Amino acid sequence: MSRIMRPKTPFEFCVYPALKESLEAENYNQTTLAQSLGTSQFTVSAWTRGDRDTTVRLLLALEDLTGMTFREMFGECEGRR
């Protein structure tokens, strides 16, 4: 029987360290973040793990919510020249 791995923090599996730190400092969890952004918890979970790209609308909302720029939240884009 396999065990379900539950995260210790709401953003434990977030692949974006600066974004993770900012959201946890503000006491967001995936559900409250999704509500603030007007999207689903599933969507938040998928893009914080790096499994899905997000929309420009959500990126702009994240910038407003965190006060961080895109590059501060996500670092340099992969493959950017």
Side-chain angles (χ1 to χ4, degrees), residues 13-16 30 41-42 44-52:
F13 302 119
C14 182
V15 296
Y16 310 108
Q30 291 181 1
Q41 184 271 329
F42 175 81
V44 169
S45 176
W47 63 255
T48 57
R49 287 189 324 264
D51 292 343
R52 174 185 280 179

Side-chain angles (χ1 to χ4, degrees), residues 4 6 22 26 39 46 52 54 61 68-69 74-75 81:
I4 296 173
R6 298 196 187 273
S22 175
E26 295 295 323
T39 192
R52 174 185 280 179
T54 190
M68 299 170 72
T69 67
F74 301 104
R81 296 175 188 205

Side-chain angles (χ1 to χ4, degrees), residues 14-66:
C14 182
V15 296
Y16 310 108
L19 179 61
K20 173 185 174 176
E21 182 178 322
S22 175
L23 295 173
E24 288 180 348
E26 295 295 323
N27 292 317
Y28 277 101
N29 62 43
Q30 291 181 1
T31 302
T32 57
L33 180 61
Q35 290 170 345
S36 296
L37 297 175
T39 192
S40 71
Q41 184 271 329
F42 175 81
T43 298
V44 169
S45 176
W47 63 255
T48 57
R49 287 189 324 264
D51 292 343
R52 174 185 280 179
D53 290 336
T54 190
T55 64
V56 171
R57 179 184 66 81
L58 287 180
L59 291 172
L60 292 172
L62 263 178
E63 283 186 341
D64 291 342
L65 193 69
T66 63

